[in-house]
Amino acid sequence: MSSHEIVGYILICIGAVFDFFGCMGLVRLPDVYNRLQAATKCVTLGTIFILVGAAVATATPAIAIKAILCALFILITSPTGAHALARGSYLSGVKLWDKSVTNKFEQRAEEIKKSYSGEAK
Amino acid sequence: MRKVTLIILGFIIWFLLVWPFDPVTKALDLESTIIGLVVAIFVGLLLGDRIPAKLSPGTVIKRIFWLIVYVPMFLWYVLLANLDVVYRVIHPDMPIHPGIVKVKTSLKSTPGRVMLANSITLTPGTLTVDITDDGYLYIHWINVKSDDIEQATHHIVSRFEPVLRRIFE
């Protein structure tokens, strides 16, 4: 096995470990928003590690360039998706965890809901 | 001019993604290249006026310089964020004090705000929930240190804002 393959497989293993912790966060953390935090951060970095690992391990331009571009797209789209999910779940009535310390979004959410129901009429 | 820029950019990205070379003979696949070019021209003509107006070369170089500064800093915070999540998830007591706080940004441009929101989501313990037109962001914070707007802004926004302002404004 050549050295770039070894480096690539090590990167893929690191990525898999981060993905694993992200999934563990999904199981252990109490509510949608905390779970989104774990899922977004760990799965983004884990997937990027796996893609970069694949690029290094194969070392063929066709695959490496695709993997790097996909990593860039994931870096941009994954937080945007998480943001949309968090906002959407709050507006559709998913409550914060009981032990949450503060919630500044309550008032704003009411305003958004009102503006939506206004448009519906 | 902007349309031409977008056509060239779109064609380059398409070319890199598809890589239209025959795996055995290494010859360029002319048919799919022409199709790619046609689609790039179509998209460029359709959406060319969406990209920002022309900037002076000095501004562009300055912005690219700050972008190069920003990327390693951002990746470093992404790594920290992941170690933070790993620590909270494997800790037996799960040390979390979650809540939604409100912070203020002074960035005006839309791409700047988008980048700020995305950066906040990928950095330790914070997730952007909503943004208002007058520059307030609602952040879900896994370990709330302060629910005061000023304090929270200092903790969450201040590390990215100066660099992003230099890139986008």
Side-chain angles (χ1 to χ4, degrees), chain A residues 8 11-12 14-16 18 44-54, chain B residues 79:
Chain A
L11 286 175
I12 291 176
I14 295 173
F18 274 123
T44 308
L45 192 73
T47 312
I48 286 173
F49 263 113
I50 290 175
L51 284 168
V52 174
Chain B
L79 194 66

Side-chain angles (χ1 to χ4, degrees), chain A residues 18 21 25 28 30 33-34 37 41-42 45 62 65-66 76 80 83 87 97 100-105 108 112, chain B residues 16-17 19 81-82 89-92 94 97-100 118 121 123 125-126 128-130 132 138 140 142 147:
Chain A
F18 274 123
F21 281 119
R28 281 204 73 191
Y33 309 98
N34 291 307
Q37 295 236 10
K41 294 190 220 312
C42 283
L45 192 73
I65 292 170
K66 265 177 223 172
I76 298 169
T80 316
H83 148 71
R87 189 173 185 271
W97 187 38
S100 296
V101 257
T102 173
N103 183 6
K104 290 276 166 66
F105 192 52
R108 163 86 177 150
I112 298 173
Chain B
L16 291 176
L17 265 180
W19 204 252
N82 278 272
V89 167
I90 61 176
H91 195 290
M94 264 201 313
H97 309 277
I100 295 182
N118 277 359
T121 298
T123 49
T126 50
T128 313
V129 178
D130 196 13
T132 61
Y138 293 87
H140 182 268
I142 206 165
D147 63 354

Side-chain angles (χ1 to χ4, degrees), chain B residues 60-81:
Chain B
V60 173
I61 290 168
K62 224 188 310 176
R63 286 181 177 199
I64 289 174
F65 169 77
W66 285 107
L67 190 66
I68 294 168
V69 172
Y70 176 69
V71 167
M73 172 185 155
F74 172 67
L75 291 178
W76 169 244
Y77 278 117
V78 171
L79 194 66
L80 278 186

